[in-house]
Amino acid sequence: MNKIVLQLDELSCPSCLQKIQHALAKQAGVTNVKVLFNAAKVKADFDSDEISADKLADTVSNLGYDVQSVKVK
């Protein structure tokens, strides 16, 4: 299992948090999605055999959020 942290430009409302969590949680290979509203960060565990970090970042970008940085552990 890998861990990803996406730093976003900003989150403007609590419904943004739910929108991102839902979109990532339904991706194959993704578990433990947590969105930190005040820090504008998204953290998740993912199986790199099932989904790439780039695909996760693209999923968030396609929802209309500006991903500032991606860190994978």
Side-chain angles (χ1 to χ4, degrees):
M1 241 344 136
N2 296 61
K3 296 184 183 296
I4 190 168
V5 177
L6 304 172
Q7 180 65 57
L8 307 181
D9 182 34
E10 67 178 337
L11 292 173
S12 58
C13 62
S15 66
C16 299
L17 178 148
Q18 293 174 346
K19 186 176 175 182
I20 293 168
Q21 278 185 327
H22 184 274
L24 290 178
K26 71 180 190 177
Q27 299 293 317
V30 177
T31 59
N32 300 324
V33 178
K34 182 185 282 187
V35 180
L36 306 171
F37 182 76
N38 291 333
K41 286 186 181 180
V42 178
K43 296 182 178 184
D45 296 334
F46 72 101
D47 183 344
S48 59
D49 290 336
E50 293 190 50
I51 193 164
S52 69
D54 288 340
K55 173 68 175 162
L56 294 173
D58 288 346
T59 298
V60 174
S61 291
N62 290 337
L63 293 172
Y65 302 99
D66 187 17
V67 177
Q68 298 291 307
S69 67
V70 178
K71 293 181 185 176
V72 179
K73 300 177 185 179

